Amino acid sequence: MALKTPPTRRWRRWLIGGVVAVAVLGVGGPYLYTQLVESNNPPPLSVSPPESAPASASAPAPGPGPGPGPAPSASLDGTWTVASGSQAGYRVNQNVAGQTATTVGRTKAVTGSATVSGGQLTAGTVSVNLAKLVTNEAERDEHVRDGILETDQFPTAVFTLTQPAPLGTTTPGQVTQVPAIGKLTIHGVTKPATVNLAVRQSGGTLSVQGTTSIALADYNIEPPTTIAPTGQIEFLLQLTQA
């Protein structure tokens, strides 16, 4: 005949098991969150590296004499318009019960244009629809839009160039680093901002990647205490000449 476990002993066993489960969730839960959820974030935006054409097996052997020189420099003068394939967003760090994670929001709702004259970027505006920002969590997206960025009142973020930025002439495929000085408007607040640009021309497309860091409080943005006080704005523009 099997002996029954006394009720008091069973109660203690359930209590101990519950305490252990809570402890595991309290310690392991945030770790699993950062590893399984936030590890799926996209990498930072960047201009594509130059494409290299594959060597042809049937190509004749090069003859004597100098080889081909570098690709000729190309003038970027003209008006350029933001085209499909452009995107923008934010990247912020957060602390989840002692675990550091990065949250990335992106949108393709980007418009704008740029003017180049005499080898200088003389004008430029980029506008982003913040109500279209998405991360890998729909519930968080709703909180960011409604509770943090208040996109019903402040639906767009805009960067406008205020000083010419020298571009010179570039070799197609080459990446040129350019600081762009302007003003950034977010959450109804406009502040001076410098955006670090990486510019690359390929055929009829001008790829421009930009990043800048901001202090959220400067724009009257009050995130939860788990969010870092600074964040990064990033965009990748595919521009075509008008």
Side-chain angles (χ1 to χ4, degrees):
M1 180 178 176
L3 297 177
K4 294 184 179 180
T5 304
T8 302
R9 189 174 300 175
R10 289 200 303 268
W11 179 82
R12 288 176 180 172
R13 186 180 301 169
W14 293 336
L15 178 61
I16 293 173
V19 171
V20 171
V22 170
V24 170
L25 289 175
V27 176
Y31 174 79
L32 292 176
Y33 175 83
T34 58
Q35 296 300 311
L36 299 180
V37 178
E38 300 300 1
S39 62
N40 294 326
N41 286 323
L45 296 170
S46 65
V47 292
S48 302
E51 298 179 359
S52 52
S56 173
S58 59
S73 296
S75 172
L76 303 180
D77 286 6
T79 300
W80 298 79
T81 303
V82 174
S84 61
S86 301
Q87 56 183 312
Y90 66 87
R91 184 177 295 270
V92 296
N93 291 330
Q94 60 176 322
N95 187 290
V96 183
Q99 297 290 328
T100 300
T102 300
T103 297
V104 179
R106 294 274 174 82
T107 178
K108 294 182 179 179
V110 183
T111 58
S113 63
T115 302
V116 180
S117 178
Q120 292 193 100
L121 180 63
T122 57
T125 300
V126 180
S127 180
V128 181
N129 186 343
L130 301 181
K132 300 294 185 179
L133 285 169
V134 294
T135 65
N136 49 21
E137 281 192 7
E139 185 176 346
R140 172 170 55 200
D141 298 341
E142 183 178 355
H143 177 61
V144 169
R145 289 191 299 265
D146 299 340
I148 298 178
L149 295 179
E150 299 177 301
T151 56
D152 57 334
Q153 300 179 58
F154 314 107
T156 58
V158 180
F159 175 77
T160 304
L161 188 74
T162 57
Q163 296 185 27
L167 294 175
T169 54
T170 63
T171 300
Q174 177 183 353
V175 177
T176 302
Q177 304 291 335
V178 182
I181 299 174
K183 56 183 181 181
L184 178 64
T185 300
I186 302 176
H187 201 241
V189 178
T190 301
K191 294 281 186 180
T194 298
V195 178
N196 298 312
L197 302 179
V199 182
R200 176 177 175 265
Q201 184 184 18
S202 178
T205 300
L206 194 64
S207 298
V208 180
Q209 178 262 333
T211 57
T212 188
S213 295
I214 66 168
L216 302 182
D218 288 348
Y219 294 88
N220 292 338
I221 298 174
E222 300 180 4
T225 56
T226 57
I227 300 297
T230 60
Q232 187 177 70
I233 305 298
E234 55 183 5
F235 59 78
L236 177 61
L237 308 178
Q238 304 298 344
L239 303 169
T240 56
Q241 201 160 19

